[in-house]
Amino acid sequence: RVALCTSVALGAVLRGSNEVVEQGNVTAQQFAFLRSASNSTGGPPDCGDKYDKLPDFTKEYGATLANTVCTHPGYKSACQVFDDTLQCWFRKMVTGHCDDLPSMFKKRNKDLVKSCNDPDTDHLDIWQSHFSDAEKSYWRSTYKAQAEDSKLFDTMNKLMPKQLLCSTLHVVDDKCVKYSAVRTQAAR
């Protein structure tokens, strides 16, 4: 419910409307935060400069990302609102070859998919249980640095951190996109 209200509020903010607050679907404080995020001077995010030169299946893979990590009903709307930003993060990862991080698909995929789909598992559980030290370093130097310069990235990280972390690990585990869709089946 919170994610849905937040998504509706963000959409209203981007349209310049106050109707969401007036209807009582989101607190004035949440609305003020979203309004300030949308009016920020942060520039557009860096989505990577070589994405158009990648194979077509890379774009197909990106299209499956939100459907894979946005399984909780409360976050489907948020993922729709932030799909372009999620796709930007995906493109940034792919054009940088995921910093050549090794895939850990065989080791963690079954537990990762379970954790990412479990509404009782939060982003800190994903961070502590599934990220390697090298992946944490990559996240901090790439995504967090991007979020400092882009309010879109910063806001997405605040509203749907679990989905961001899950998408990051899926992309790394799929060898920075060697497949046409996110692999969610347990390794055999």
Side-chain angles (χ1 to χ4, degrees):
R1 175 164 162 66
V2 170
L4 177 60
C5 289
T6 304
S7 296
V8 170
L10 181 60
V13 166
L14 296 175
R15 289 189 310 274
S17 170
N18 287 326
E19 69 186 61
V20 178
V21 174
E22 292 163 6
Q23 293 174 358
N25 292 333
V26 66
T27 68
Q29 197 172 30
Q30 289 170 321
F31 190 79
F33 165 75
L34 293 170
R35 169 86 60 203
S36 69
S38 70
N39 290 337
S40 76
T41 58
D46 173 9
C47 299
D49 58 355
K50 299 174 188 135
Y51 186 70
D52 292 336
K53 295 178 175 93
L54 296 171
D56 286 340
F57 73 83
T58 304
K59 294 169 188 135
E60 293 170 19
Y61 181 98
T64 68
L65 202 52
N67 291 335
T68 302
V69 299
C70 298
T71 57
H72 187 275
Y75 282 95
K76 289 186 181 202
S77 294
C79 286
Q80 290 172 351
V81 169
F82 285 102
D83 188 57
D84 287 345
T85 311
L86 183 62
Q87 294 300 317
C88 178
W89 170 234
F90 163 71
R91 291 191 303 269
K92 176 78 172 170
M93 290 178 65
V94 172
T95 59
H97 304 285
C98 299
D99 209 29
D100 295 321
L101 291 166
S103 171
M104 294 175 50
F105 180 85
K106 289 181 181 177
K107 180 180 177 185
R108 73 173 159 211
N109 186 259
K110 183 178 179 182
D111 289 336
L112 177 63
V113 169
K114 182 179 177 189
S115 294
C116 290
N117 290 325
D118 182 354
D120 294 327
T121 301
D122 71 8
H123 68 284
L124 294 175
D125 295 326
I126 302 294
W127 181 259
Q128 293 169 349
S129 300
H130 298 289
F131 271 72
S132 69
D133 289 341
E135 290 163 340
K136 288 177 182 178
S137 177
Y138 171 71
W139 173 265
R140 288 180 185 119
S141 67
T142 309
Y143 190 89
K144 292 302 262 184
Q146 187 85 325
E148 290 175 11
D149 295 332
S150 168
K151 282 294 185 183
L152 284 172
F153 270 51
D154 184 51
T155 303
M156 183 171 61
N157 186 45
K158 288 176 180 166
L159 295 179
M160 42 187 277
K162 177 181 173 181
Q163 291 72 21
L164 275 172
L165 295 177
C166 288
S167 65
T168 300
L169 292 180
H170 280 302
V171 172
V172 169
D173 285 350
D174 287 341
K175 301 177 182 177
C176 210
V177 190
K178 299 282 186 210
Y179 305 93
S180 61
V182 177
R183 297 184 297 165
T184 57
Q185 298 299 316
R188 291 183 164 78

